[in-house]
Amino acid sequence: ASPGYAARALLAEDPSRFVVSIRRDDRERFETTFAAHSFRLLGTLDGEPRLEISLGGAALVRASLGELEKAFKTPLVPGGRA
């Protein structure tokens, strides 16, 4: 993959993109139903309070729910420091 592929895969905006949540048991049926369309599995739930995003086996994001909540509540300031 090209150097910017991961960023484009995660952050590219397109008016026809949407995120869906399905049960594990429905994954095969979902993939069969949408086989003619471009889609990507973003992740699975495992009961742990964290977010992990990988691409090609390489971790791109790994953060606890607490870290994500703190980042969300911390204002952005010039220079990246609060």
Side-chain angles (χ1 to χ4, degrees):
S2 67
Y5 178 77
R8 286 191 307 278
L10 289 172
L11 306 173
E13 294 185 26
D14 185 324
S16 64
R17 288 185 183 200
F18 57 96
V19 175
V20 297
S21 176
I22 59 172
R23 296 180 307 192
R24 286 182 201 269
D25 295 346
D26 292 332
R27 180 176 172 182
E28 185 176 335
R29 185 166 54 106
F30 175 87
E31 291 178 352
T32 299
T33 301
F34 288 95
H37 303 282
S38 177
F39 62 87
R40 178 170 306 160
L41 175 66
L42 295 177
T44 59
L45 296 174
D46 65 3
E48 295 296 321
R50 67 173 180 259
L51 173 68
E52 293 183 10
I53 300 174
S54 303
L55 183 63
L60 302 175
V61 176
R62 184 174 290 136
S64 70
L65 180 60
E67 292 170 315
L68 294 169
E69 184 176 24
K70 181 180 176 185
F72 177 76
K73 291 181 176 182
T74 301
L76 299 176
V77 295
R81 297 175 191 251

